[in-house]
Amino acid sequence: MPSHFDIVIVGSGAGGATLAQKLAPTGKSILILERGEHLPREAENWSPKAVFIQRRYRTQERWWDKHGHPFTPNTHYWVGGNTTFYGAALMRMRGRDFTEVQHAGGVSPAWPISLTDLAPYYDDAERLWQVHGARGEDPTEAGDEPPYAYAAVRHDPGVAALKGHWETQGWRPFSLPLGVKLDQARPVTSTCIKCKTCGGYPCLLKAKCDARTLAIEPLMDLPNVTLLTGRKVLRLETDPSGKTVTEVVCHTEQGEERWSGDIVVLAAGAANTAVVLLASVNAAHPKGLANSSDQVGRNYMFHNATAMVSMTLGQEDVTFPKTLAVNDFYWGDPKSGYDLPMGHIQLLEYMSGQTLEGQIEDWLPPALIPDALAGAAAERMLSMLVISEDLPQADNRVRLNPDGRISLDYTFGNLEGHDRLVQKLKASLDGFVDHAH
């Protein structure tokens, strides 16, 4: 095998896989370096105990927080990256998201690109990832988006009832866009069966549209695409001027490997991309590659997110609940006199008793919860997620310590609008559920 390729891509997740899929038809030689292996197809893929309690597929790697305490990140190192475990929700950003936006906690800076620049790529991605949705329902849409190629996933009876409940309050809930291989007209032959093991699980049927299924696996037999697993990229080396990457240095079980490419793409995720750049120290880049500004790893962001569990006395008629969302308060709540962004609400996946045990084990060990009790509670639950925007803060950052440890310094911020939306959701459930927490 040659050691030089036209293009070297580090990472096979959403970014790396999509790029490889788009470039493969050019005939250019492409090398994809993935630190993980192919995820095994096994019964445990759909086991809530294996996935959520034993955490069979989650990394055992340890990072350190800003206080110097170790923790295990909620990440997965497999071909396809974290997309293998995502909940299949695929939404477009809105035009205003790319502009400077005032939040309660500060300003979200303008992007150097606009939604107009990305719109053709959204069109392609929605077709490739088989996104099911319905235009015209979401009040934040511009109205000029093309129709979805696949119809929205139909709501289970319990979800339809919640939709009606919210509509009586003047809300405009809409069908959550989902990337699944679902043929609702032919359920007998449909790949997706709307099971109870979607978000958080690897799909045993490969019915979830993720990076490994839609982008990587279709490329594996192409003569110009090479996927190498078990390759953890440690650093990038450059020529003496520091302007050209000459080698990609990997760790493998057999020892160190070096690869080169005319173009090198680093798509190893938000944290690990920064780690590789920070580790790529040389005379031309004493602070790490592309880090003369000292910005690499800084302004680390992720969504502010709160899960809410609602309980009813009777069992919920729901097996696939993640089909409904609310954007009425995405930009604020003018009726209540609040004109700053609040966020987005969506239903979460079906939660079994053991899923519930795994989610709360940080403060209540699963061994203390009888499975029968957890199962009975799960049958009476609808789970929802409130998501709001984080804001960039320079001190929220990924750091690489001299001993090689990864530190993630993070302080939550911009919570005012988020907290308002959580309370708004809780109040909206009065008369529909018996308890929300």
Side-chain angles (χ1 to χ4, degrees):
M1 181 189 301
S3 62
H4 184 85
F5 290 77
D6 294 325
I7 303 162
V8 176
I9 300 174
V10 179
S12 66
T18 301
L19 181 63
Q21 183 269 342
K22 190 68 173 179
L23 293 179
T26 67
K28 297 289 187 180
S29 60
I30 301 171
L31 171 64
I32 306 169
L33 297 171
E34 169 56 51
R35 68 184 289 174
E37 301 291 345
H38 290 281
L39 190 137
R41 297 185 73 185
E42 54 188 6
E44 287 84 355
N45 288 176
W46 278 357
S47 164
K49 181 176 182 179
V51 172
F52 290 100
I53 296 178
Q54 298 172 346
R55 298 180 177 177
R56 180 180 181 87
Y57 305 111
R58 189 183 298 186
T59 182
Q60 298 303 307
E61 186 176 55
R62 303 288 272 175
W63 294 0
W64 275 257
D65 65 17
K66 64 181 180 181
H67 302 295
H69 299 148
F71 69 97
T72 302
N74 184 17
T75 195
H76 308 81
Y77 297 133
W78 300 95
V79 172
N82 283 316
T83 68
T84 302
F85 300 85
Y86 84 133
L90 293 168
M91 297 185 64
R92 296 184 179 213
M93 294 177 68
R94 302 308 184 211
R96 188 176 162 192
D97 287 320
F98 293 87
T99 66
E100 181 176 296
V101 178
Q102 180 67 50
H103 291 252
V107 173
S108 176
W111 290 45
I113 58 175
S114 69
L115 177 60
T116 301
D117 298 318
L118 288 186
Y121 301 100
Y122 272 125
D123 295 346
D124 289 347
E126 287 174 349
R127 287 190 293 269
L128 172 65
W129 290 63
Q130 301 181 31
V131 180
H132 293 63
R135 297 290 186 210
E137 294 182 353
D138 181 349
T140 64
E141 286 183 339
D144 57 357
E145 301 89 349
Y148 287 105
Y150 301 88
V153 179
R154 289 192 285 268
H155 303 305
D156 287 349
V159 176
L162 176 60
K163 179 177 183 290
H165 174 78
W166 277 338
E167 288 173 337
T168 64
Q169 300 177 48
W171 290 20
R172 294 163 291 177
F174 63 96
S175 299
L176 183 64
L178 296 173
V180 287
K181 296 180 180 180
L182 176 66
D183 187 344
Q184 298 181 107
R186 301 173 183 83
V188 173
T189 56
S190 174
T191 305
C192 175
I193 58 174
K194 292 181 66 176
C195 65
K196 297 180 178 180
T197 51
C198 188
Y201 297 85
C203 184
L204 187 58
L205 300 179
K206 296 190 176 180
K208 184 163 54 177
C209 296
D210 53 39
R212 63 166 181 159
T213 303
L214 288 183
I216 293 294
E217 291 177 358
L219 306 180
M220 290 174 57
D221 292 331
L222 296 182
N224 63 313
V225 179
T226 302
L227 169 66
L228 295 180
T229 60
R231 267 71 175 182
K232 179 182 178 181
V233 171
L234 302 176
R235 65 185 183 277
L236 307 179
E237 296 193 350
T238 71
D239 64 5
S241 72
K243 295 181 179 180
T244 301
V245 173
T246 55
E247 289 186 309
V248 180
V249 183
C250 300
H251 169 76
T252 75
E253 288 186 356
Q254 291 73 39
E256 183 179 281
E257 288 181 353
R258 291 171 177 262
W259 305 91
S260 63
D262 296 337
I263 297 174
V264 175
V265 179
L266 192 51
N272 282 296
T273 292
V275 167
V276 172
L277 293 173
L278 292 171
S280 302
V281 173
N282 59 29
H285 299 281
K287 295 182 180 179
L289 191 58
N291 195 32
S292 61
S293 63
D294 193 35
Q295 290 301 300
V296 171
R298 290 188 182 273
N299 300 298
Y300 186 89
M301 298 167 61
F302 57 84
H303 288 115
N304 293 321
T306 297
M308 181 174 294
V309 176
S310 64
M311 300 286 295
T312 59
L313 292 178
Q315 294 185 5
E316 287 287 351
D317 189 3
V318 174
T319 58
F320 195 85
K322 191 172 181 173
T323 58
L324 190 66
V326 174
N327 270 345
D328 292 76
F329 312 102
Y330 191 75
W331 298 117
D333 186 11
K335 291 182 180 179
S336 298
Y338 192 77
D339 293 324
L340 297 172
M342 295 168 66
H344 163 85
I345 300 168
Q346 64 178 245
L347 266 67
L348 283 169
E349 299 79 13
Y350 181 86
M351 193 173 293
S352 70
Q354 289 185 321
T355 306
L356 178 62
E357 292 173 30
Q359 296 288 1
I360 64 175
E361 72 170 350
D362 288 342
W363 55 276
L364 186 61
L368 299 181
I369 308 174
D371 287 345
L373 177 61
E379 291 174 348
R380 291 160 174 80
M381 288 193 317
L382 271 178
S383 302
M384 303 157 206
L385 185 67
V386 176
I387 310 174
S388 306
E389 288 300 320
D390 192 3
L391 293 174
Q393 299 181 51
D395 290 336
N396 284 349
R397 63 186 302 193
V398 177
R399 292 187 293 109
L400 183 63
N401 295 293
D403 59 3
R405 294 188 306 172
I406 298 173
S407 290
L408 179 57
D409 302 342
Y410 188 81
T411 300
F412 287 94
N414 196 35
L415 292 173
E416 180 181 299
H418 179 78
D419 291 342
R420 283 177 174 266
L421 188 55
V422 170
Q423 293 306 313
K424 192 86 176 177
L425 172 59
K426 186 175 182 179
S428 78
L429 296 173
D430 286 349
F432 184 79
V433 301
D434 297 291
H435 180 71
H437 180 73

